[in-house]
Structures are given as C-alpha cells and as structure tokens.
Amino acid sequence: MTKPDKREEISRAALELIAENGFHGAPMAMIADKAGVGAGTIYRYFENKDVLITELYQDLEERMYPCIQEGYSTDKPIRERFIHLGTALLRYFIEYPLDFRYLEQFHNSPYGTDYRRDKILGDKEECHVFRDLFEEGIARQEMKNLPLVIMFSLAFGPILTVARDQILGFVSLDQVLITRSIEACWDGVKR
Amino acid sequence: MTKPDKREEISRAALELIAENGFHGAPMAMIADKAGVGAGTIYRYFENKDVLITELYQDLEERMYPCIQEGYSTDKPIRERFIHLGTALLRYFIEYPLDFRYLEQFHNSPYGTDYRRDKILGDKEECHVFRDLFEEGIARQEMKNLPLVIMFSLAFGPILTVARDQILGFVSLDQVLITRSIEACWDGVKR
DNA sequence: TATTTAAGAATGAACGTTCATTCCGGACAA
DNA sequence: TTGTCCGGAATGAACGTTCATTCTTAAATA
C-alpha cells in the first residue's frame, strides 16, 4: 500500500466506525484493524485521536460544501435558492449516511460545540453561502426578520431531524417527500 | 442524610455531571463525590450505570410532561394548541437547561435510539398529546398532510436547535423571540 | 435508664478490563 | 550498510464494579 493510500484507509475506517458507534465505540486498535494497519501506524499520520477526529471533520466539510453548491447561482430568486440548498443538503445526508452520522457525533460532542463557537465568533468562510442567502432574504423582506441563528435553526433543524429519522429507518423519504419537507422549511422562514 | 435524600442526591449529581460533560465525562466516582456518598453506595440504589442513566431519563420525562401540558385543553383551536405546546416546551428547556442537555445526551446515544425505536413501534403513552394534535390537525386539513414523523421533525427540529443555541449562549431569547420562533414553526406545519 | 446486640447501610480500596499512546525490533528501500 | 517506515506487544492511566469491613440505628435486655 502506498503512503497516501494508507492515510486514506485510516480515515475511511475511522469515519465508518465513529459514525456507527460513536467516538467511544471506535478504539484506535479497532480503527487500525479495519484499516489493515498496525495500531502504531495511525500515529504516523495523525498526532493523536483528537487530531484525527478534527481532521476527519474538516475533510468531510470540504467534500460536502462543493457538492451542495453544485448548480447554485445567486442570480435565481431567493425561494428557489433556498429550496436548492435545502434539497441538496438533505439529499447529501441521505446519500452519504456515514457522513451524516459522523457530523452528528461531532456536533453533539465538546469538539463540535467548541468548533461552532469558533465559527460564530471567528467568522469562518465556509457557510457564507447560507449566511448570504438569509441576509439577502431578510433585507428583501422575503424572509422573516429574526436573528440569523434562529433562521438557521428554523431551516436546518427540521432537515437534520428528518435526515436522522430516514437514516435510522423511522421514515422512508422518496423524491416527493424530500421536496415537500424542504418546501415546509421554506414556509417556516418566509415572511 | 435520610435514605430517600441520598438517592435524590445521587440523581441530582448524575444529571448535572452528565448534562454538562456527557456520559463519558461523568465517571461513577465523580458522581459519588459530587453526591457526597461513597462510590459503592450508588450501587445500593441503582443496579449499574446503564440503569442509572435510563431511570434518570424516565424521571425527567415524568417531570416534564405535566409541566408542558399545564393549561392545555383540546377544546381550543388547533393553532392555539400548537403554540401552547411549542412555547411550553421551549420555555421548559430554557428554564431547566440541565434537563435539556441531559435529554440531548440521551437522545444522541444508543440509549436514546433504542428507546425511540421502542416508543415508535411500541406505541407508548406519553407523547400522545402531540400525536393527537397532529392527527387532528391533518384530518381537519389545517396542517400539511405529511407522515407524522416528518411533522414531528418540522415542529420539534427548530425548537430543539434553538433551545441548544440559547443554552450554549449563541443567542439570547426573550419573550418576543420565543413567541415568534414558535409561530414560525407553525408556519412550517400549517397547510 | 443504661447497655448489649444484631441487621442493614455505607464505604473505599482493590480488581479486572479497556483504552490511547509509546517503543523497539525487524522489514524494506536506497 | 544505512536510514526510514511499520507493526503490534508493552505500558500506564482511567474506568465500572465488587466486597470485606466499618458505621449507624433501633430493638432487646437488664
């Protein structure tokens, strides 16, 4: 196995195990086993488990954002743009359930909370598409005039919840249900 | 300390530590310390840590449900009932942040998933108020005709997310913002 | 009332297990 | 041969749980 391949294998194994069993259900030895490397080898690629977890999350974000924004254009109407992003996000979660589960594990842990705090205070780049859309929607009076954080909750809260239900098997979403769910989210944020 | 007091102290300590640090950030020794009892004493009241965690959750539900339903009446209009329950829920979470954090920890763990699976399949009693409201709302064509699970996501997804943001300090909700948030949730589920 | 006794409650040191991390002998490339 | 990389046994810290012992209390006895 070449060097970058090995790193790749470790990432894949860690993502899968953590997504399915949580951080504490994915010991380093088990990750090594699944990746087909020795336990010590992981530490040649990642300083420690915390670093592995954080880098895994950043890789995931870098995969996800471009995928969601494909075909997105700021020229289209606000509503259409909202539906585009919401649908793309929900579809992504359904298509890559491991990514979604990892995302959830991360967000519902001290890692995620700290990360989010940095992001909100530090004005990170990535989610500016969402922020821009909401700010424009509010300015044009097409969306409710509520604090951005609340708008995010109204829009993403249901998407995350519904994605979890789909992945855990509590509901089975088809194309129609996805669209209608996202349209319902729009009803929540629109003026 | 009398016997029931001791059990109470252990519950309180466990709830607080788990709410703040998660299940793995709350070792039995630490819980015992905080409760002012010996490590072994916990096992006189709870068979093991799993039982402690589950009973803590059930106690919490029993505290929460009556509190939310206070003043609730099935005679009032659908919308009014929805606003009542939503507001009461969000208020409860804000007033008892430890309860909310514990609830989240529980739901985002294998305990919670199994519990939920039992609940959905086993038709448990407690959340029938919500279920009844939605079923009536749909039947009367005042709410969107979507699967119940999705309706729950649309209504509770934002409430949970916004409650978390409030508790983590990302937003500061006053009376007006609470009302407007819940009304926005209604816009999401209404026809 | 004062003293003894027994039963149950509480304790915390000790145990076995699990885990992240380290370390060193060997395999392979140059 | 020399240097680099890898594997997995070794390490020690942390955890949940147990159990031999101590403490508390109240009934029984004198």
Side-chain angles (χ1 to χ4, degrees), chain A residues 21-41:
Chain A
N21 312 319
F23 296 122
H24 297 278
M28 294 299 256
M30 200 186 282
I31 294 173
D33 236 44
K34 183 155 202 149
V37 303
T41 309

Side-chain angles (χ1 to χ4, degrees), chain A:
Chain A
M1 211 187 304
T2 72
K3 212 173 158 189
D5 274 353
K6 213 162 258 190
R7 194 194 149 95
E8 185 64 24
E9 277 309 309
I10 293 168
S11 289
R12 192 200 315 284
L15 183 87
E16 188 168 331
L17 284 171
I18 293 173
E20 281 167 359
N21 312 319
F23 296 122
H24 297 278
M28 294 299 256
M30 200 186 282
I31 294 173
D33 236 44
K34 183 155 202 149
V37 303
T41 309
I42 298 181
Y43 291 86
R44 302 203 52 74
Y45 296 91
F46 302 93
E47 199 189 326
N48 56 44
K49 198 176 182 180
D50 277 18
V51 169
L52 169 62
I53 287 171
T54 309
E55 289 199 10
L56 231 44
Y57 178 78
Q58 286 163 344
D59 289 355
L60 197 162
E61 276 198 331
E62 276 172 32
R63 277 201 304 281
M64 196 175 68
Y65 278 105
C67 183
I68 285 165
Q69 290 180 53
E70 199 181 299
Y72 181 80
S73 157
T74 52
D75 299 334
K76 297 180 184 156
I78 300 280
R79 179 181 190 276
E80 193 173 324
R81 275 192 269 165
F82 180 91
I83 304 282
H84 177 113
L85 289 180
T87 310
L89 198 60
L90 185 50
R91 281 225 191 89
Y92 185 91
F93 290 153
I94 292 175
E95 185 167 2
Y96 303 103
L98 289 180
D99 279 13
F100 175 76
R101 295 286 286 150
Y102 187 89
L103 216 91
E104 281 220 303
Q105 301 282 359
F106 189 85
H107 276 126
N108 296 312
S109 73
Y111 301 110
T113 309
D114 295 349
Y115 196 83
R116 177 125 186 269
R117 187 162 278 125
D118 290 353
K119 214 166 192 166
I120 287 186
L121 300 178
D123 232 64
K124 281 269 197 82
E125 278 300 319
E126 297 102 9
C127 55
H128 270 198
V129 211
F130 294 109
R131 174 188 289 240
D132 290 348
L133 175 62
F134 282 108
E135 279 175 349
E136 191 180 329
I138 293 169
R140 294 195 187 209
Q141 306 207 354
E142 292 185 43
M143 289 188 187
K144 295 185 168 77
N145 186 16
L146 288 168
L148 267 186
V149 179
I150 295 183
M151 296 300 275
F152 272 72
S153 294
L154 290 171
F156 300 133
I159 294 180
L160 295 172
T161 313
V162 102
R164 179 166 51 237
D165 286 345
Q166 158 81 24
I167 286 160
L168 294 180
F170 295 140
V171 69
S172 178
L173 297 172
D174 55 18
Q175 199 41 66
V176 176
L177 280 179
I178 290 177
T179 305
R180 294 187 59 202
S181 297
I182 302 300
E183 284 172 351
C185 289
W186 169 254
D187 289 342
V189 298
K190 81 155 185 239
R191 217 164 201 284

Side-chain angles (χ1 to χ4, degrees), chain B residues 38 41 44-45:
Chain B
T41 307
R44 299 200 52 76
Y45 295 92

